[in-house]
Amino acid sequence: MPARLYGVRPSKGAVPLILHLHGGAFTGGTLDCGAYIAALLAEAGAVVVSADYPLACEHPFPFALTAAFGALSALYSRRAEFAGRNAPLYVAGEESGGNLAAGLAMMARDQQAPPLAGQILISPMLDPSLATASLRAAEAGTCGCKWADGWQTYLGSPEKAAHPYAAPLASSRLQGLPPALVVSAQDCPMRDESARYACALEKAGVAAELHILPGPTHWPESISVPPEKPEKPESWAEAMRTLFSRFFESSRPRRRKPAPAVL
């Protein structure tokens, strides 16, 4: 699976190591489309491996998720090489990549490996019913839009929509998942399902932060930018860097201090 590396391994110590997955409604998207978010994650202090997962046109569910899980496991085994010894491991993704990141967090929990420090979900596609108010406001959903077509291609058949790895918002078992940073925007079609998932995680006892950025952001289209970074940074870029940096700090595993010796 092709991948692109962002960030620099520290000379000593460790920094967060992230497997990042781009958007594209399951049927499109490239490493270039994920370049902006991957770069922001790296600027926030992480080493990022952005993976070009198999698209649903030729490989419907669960092919991309299984391939990404193999990449995540391999990355964990090489974390010292990329980000320093005992580097905390994260998954991150936007739109369809956010769906895969959420699914990976569930797989890692269920298989008890690799251990994840957190998940970063940016306007993730989580609900194939496409019945939210934010999607209706964008005149999207039901059929004939890229997200409806993407879901249909990714799932392949209606019964796949009941699988929690495919549609995380429908899962009835969210306990034990790693801390989550969920970010969307006021004018994003995926705003409502992002908020509902963060709420569901909290109810399940998972530490979850939800941030809805003010519009206009033109998400999710503006997240996928051309290979060259735009001359004028997006208005939400600095806010995203700050959110990422704070989440790394709050979710990073802390070493327990040894108990004082009893004389």
Side-chain angles (χ1 to χ4, degrees), residues 8-248:
V8 180
R9 183 189 184 279
S11 56
K12 58 181 179 180
V15 297
L17 177 61
I18 302 174
L19 177 66
H20 167 259
L21 302 160
H22 61 75
F26 299 113
T27 59
T30 64
L31 290 175
D32 288 339
C33 292
Y36 202 179
I37 294 298
L40 289 176
L41 288 164
E43 290 167 12
V47 169
V48 183
V49 175
S50 187
D52 197 13
Y53 55 88
L55 299 180
C57 304
E58 296 181 359
H59 303 289
F61 176 83
F63 197 96
L65 190 63
T66 302
F69 188 76
L72 183 67
S73 301
L75 198 58
Y76 176 71
S77 68
R78 299 175 61 185
R79 63 194 185 283
E81 173 188 344
F82 284 104
R85 185 179 178 185
N86 297 321
L89 183 64
Y90 294 77
V91 289
E94 59 271 14
E95 200 220 33
S96 56
N99 172 289
L100 295 173
L104 287 175
M106 290 183 175
M107 291 183 71
R109 175 202 60 188
D110 294 344
Q111 300 194 27
Q112 300 183 1
L116 293 180
Q119 50 182 322
I120 300 172
L121 312 177
I122 304 168
S123 284
M125 290 176 64
L126 301 169
D127 183 7
S129 68
L130 301 169
T132 63
S134 57
L135 272 165
R136 289 196 299 272
E139 299 182 353
T142 62
C143 64
C145 79
K146 67 177 182 179
W147 297 295
D149 294 343
W151 272 115
Q152 184 175 10
T153 305
Y154 181 59
L155 296 175
S157 56
E159 64 270 12
K160 298 285 182 62
H163 199 297
Y165 293 173
L169 189 56
S171 175
S172 60
R173 193 171 68 88
L174 299 176
Q175 297 85 354
L177 289 173
L181 172 64
V182 184
V183 186
S184 190
Q186 192 63 41
D187 58 336
C188 180
M190 265 61 74
R191 179 197 66 215
D192 289 352
E193 57 199 276
S194 299
R196 286 172 55 197
Y197 193 59
C199 182
L201 288 171
E202 274 199 324
K203 287 183 178 179
V206 177
E209 296 181 33
L210 172 66
H211 296 271
I212 304 295
L213 302 182
T217 62
H218 308 293
W219 280 16
E221 285 81 3
S222 64
I223 297 176
S224 302
V225 296
E228 63 277 5
K229 197 170 183 178
E231 294 181 6
K232 182 180 179 182
E234 297 287 355
S235 59
W236 43 263
E238 184 56 38
M240 294 287 281
R241 272 192 294 265
T242 300
L243 289 175
F244 295 156
S245 180
R246 290 176 179 172
F247 183 65
F248 296 148

